[in-house]
Amino acid sequence: MDNLEIPRGGTICLSKAGLAIGNSDKNDVDIAAPNGAGVDYAINGYLYHKADAADIAVSVTDEDGTAVTTQADLTTCLYIAQLDSSGTLTFIKGTEVLTAQLTAGNKRLVWPSQTADTCVIGAIKIATSGTTFTFGTDDFDTAGITDTYYDLMTLPPNPRTS
């Protein structure tokens, strides 16, 4: 009889997080899962749950852990949303791309890497036009800001082309 290797561990989001602009504080985010109960996720094989929550203050770093300040005007950038085992939500900023180069097909948006012992649950794509954007300070619905929310199971394997 053949021995089958049983997979161990695993980090994955098990339900839609429902990331959205903050309900009353527009520079925050909400977790408003479609199931109304929050998001279930696994980190290294252990299961966790984050209840729906409104107006979660956001913090963002780059992939090296350095605090991030402002996204430049006329750029588009991906920010991944990740939860740790205690349910703390943090964001990792990807590389800014000039929106004109993205639109022309000359550049792609590459997903940033998650940090250790976290689970990616979603992402926000921010495009600026006529303004800069400071994540966690500026409102997501500020004039000149286009925000797009994604629910993710894991990090997608391919870059975004738009």
Side-chain angles (χ1 to χ4, degrees):
M1 182 168 161
D2 292 333
N3 288 332
L4 298 175
E5 184 175 329
I6 298 172
R8 297 182 186 267
T11 298
I12 191 168
C13 183
L14 302 165
S15 57
K16 290 177 69 74
L19 284 180
I21 188 171
N23 186 37
S24 59
D25 202 349
K26 302 300 182 189
N27 65 353
D28 292 342
V29 296
D30 290 351
I31 293 178
N35 66 12
V39 60
D40 294 313
Y41 60 103
I43 300 173
N44 299 320
Y46 290 96
L47 293 173
Y48 301 97
H49 177 80
K50 171 74 172 173
D52 284 350
D55 298 319
I56 304 169
V58 296
S59 66
V60 64
T61 63
D62 63 18
E63 292 177 284
D64 296 328
T66 305
V68 173
T69 53
T70 301
Q71 180 178 326
D73 187 17
L74 303 176
T75 63
T76 301
C77 189
L78 290 170
Y79 298 80
I80 59 168
Q82 58 186 17
L83 289 170
D84 65 15
S85 62
S86 67
T88 301
L89 180 68
T90 56
F91 287 84
I92 304 295
K93 181 183 181 190
T95 302
E96 297 175 23
V97 173
L98 287 173
T99 303
Q101 291 185 331
L102 183 64
T103 302
N106 298 326
K107 293 281 185 173
R108 301 178 301 172
L109 291 172
V110 177
W111 297 100
S113 298
Q114 70 195 70
T115 56
D117 299 321
T118 63
C119 179
V120 173
I121 63 164
I124 303 173
K125 180 176 72 174
I126 300 291
T128 59
S129 178
T131 187
T132 59
F133 179 76
T134 302
F135 201 92
T137 300
D138 294 334
D139 289 352
F140 288 106
D141 63 355
T142 298
I145 301 298
T146 302
D147 54 333
T148 306
Y149 298 82
Y150 303 99
D151 288 318
L152 302 175
M153 181 176 70
T154 62
L155 276 175
N158 299 319
R160 297 228 17 118
T161 57
S162 63

